[in-house]
Amino acid sequence: MLPGLTYPEESLKRLAGELAEQFQGIFAAETVERYVLESYTGLLRTSSVKAHLTTRTARFARERLNALGQAKGAIERPVPEVLFVCEQNAGRSQMAAVFTNFLSGGAVHVRSAGSMPLPELNPTMVAVMAELGLSLDESFPKPLTDDVVQAADVVITMGCGDACPIYPGKRYVDWELVDPAGQPIEEVRRIRDQIRANVTEMLAGLGVTPAA
């Protein structure tokens, strides 16, 4: 373990051990430990429900380590990597990620993040996605980190301003979309449908035929 670092919860120590084994030969145990603690701290800042924090930390840290490995060329990138970024990661970027996963049928790998993430998802957004049979039960707001930007082939921003780091060789696209926060459900449905249309167009540009 890194000198001077302590685990605030025993479950995080177990998680670091599991991830160190999973990424053995790619990252040193110290790197994995640092990522677990950084991921936990990043989610703790905005989390309103501590009950799921360790589970979310596990998913967030694993995703970040995968992204770092891809960026360094140590982990294969079999499909295009798309990153959606909005300010709160509670509405627009989450809808875009779910649509991309569904419509691409796995032909694109997607991540989402926020420059200033909220504690939880926008409930109206969750409801209008459920109308289409699309669940966000596994989704939660995540802070934007350099590793996921470095791993992306395409970075799509939605009103996060200059918060997204710029790296050469990346394709950056900005979607001008109304923030669904505080909007009536009819407006959130309109935003949802616009995002679906944008995702369909994006997939076509990547050579992916969207699912019906």
Side-chain angles (χ1 to χ4, degrees):
M1 185 172 171
L2 292 173
L5 288 183
T6 59
Y7 289 101
E9 297 181 20
E10 187 65 25
S11 57
L12 295 178
K13 185 176 182 179
R14 291 195 300 271
L15 170 61
E18 292 168 3
L19 290 178
E21 185 174 341
Q22 179 181 339
F23 288 95
Q24 188 173 10
I26 301 174
F27 299 118
E30 291 80 8
T31 300
V32 174
E33 290 169 354
R34 177 167 56 83
Y35 263 64
V36 167
L37 290 170
E38 283 181 358
S39 298
Y40 175 83
T41 302
L43 293 176
L44 181 64
R45 290 193 188 102
T46 59
S47 180
S48 60
V49 181
K50 302 299 187 287
H52 306 299
L53 194 53
T54 300
T55 302
R56 290 182 174 184
T57 297
R59 292 180 54 202
F60 187 36
R62 184 178 290 109
E63 189 67 41
R64 291 185 61 202
L65 287 164
N66 267 312
L68 182 63
Q70 289 176 333
K72 292 182 176 298
I75 295 176
E76 184 182 2
R77 293 197 294 178
V79 296
E81 297 283 340
V82 176
L83 172 65
F84 293 105
V85 184
C86 68
E87 186 176 13
Q88 299 171 340
N89 194 215
R92 292 165 292 183
S93 55
Q94 294 283 359
M95 284 192 280
V98 170
F99 274 131
T100 302
N101 275 327
F102 176 73
L103 294 173
S104 74
V108 172
H109 184 258
V110 60
R111 298 181 175 99
S112 72
S115 54
M116 296 179 65
L118 289 181
E120 298 296 333
L121 301 178
N122 180 327
T124 308
M125 178 274 294
V126 174
V128 301
M129 294 298 280
E131 291 175 351
L132 302 182
L134 298 174
S135 171
L136 285 102
D137 288 349
E138 300 296 317
S139 304
F140 58 93
K142 300 171 291 297
L144 179 64
T145 56
D146 277 3
D147 35 68
V148 296
V149 180
Q150 292 183 58
D153 298 303
V154 181
V155 180
I156 297 179
T157 59
M158 308 172 190
C160 65
D162 299 325
C164 192
I166 303 296
Y167 290 97
K170 307 294 178 189
R171 180 185 169 203
Y172 289 86
V173 180
D174 185 63
W175 289 354
E176 293 187 11
L177 297 163
V178 175
D179 188 344
Q183 299 288 344
I185 192 166
E186 294 81 6
E187 177 64 11
V188 179
R189 288 190 183 111
R190 190 197 67 77
I191 297 166
R192 174 200 66 190
D193 295 343
Q194 180 61 59
I195 289 173
R196 179 172 185 162
N198 286 6
V199 167
T200 300
E201 182 179 349
M202 175 202 71
L203 291 176
L206 293 173
V208 175
T209 302

